[in-house]
Amino acid sequence: MKKMLKCPKCGYEFKAPKMDKKKFGYGWTFPYMGVIECPKCHYRAPRKEFENI
């Protein structure tokens, strides 16, 4: 079963990405080292702000 996350802003539930986006610039970084973007409302925040479900 894939890990699911819930957006704190809009409540949308989505699959947790394997890698985080970099806080500055373009590209990917290790989990918990960058930010995640909600696919629905495009809210960007560190992984710890998204609720695990």
Side-chain angles (χ1 to χ4, degrees):
M1 187 173 155
K2 188 92 166 136
K3 191 176 189 182
M4 300 287 286
L5 297 175
K6 185 176 181 181
C7 178
K9 199 166 191 179
C10 69
Y12 183 69
E13 298 175 2
F14 58 97
K15 290 181 186 175
K18 290 185 168 124
M19 302 290 279
D20 289 6
K21 291 184 178 181
K22 290 184 177 180
K23 292 178 186 177
F24 304 104
Y26 296 99
W28 300 94
T29 187
F30 297 107
Y32 299 98
M33 299 285 290
V35 294
I36 293 178
E37 185 173 329
C38 174
K40 186 175 181 184
C41 70
H42 303 288
Y43 175 67
R44 289 174 58 114
R47 190 178 285 253
K48 64 183 179 184
E49 287 192 27
F50 289 84
E51 181 184 340
N52 289 316
I53 52 172

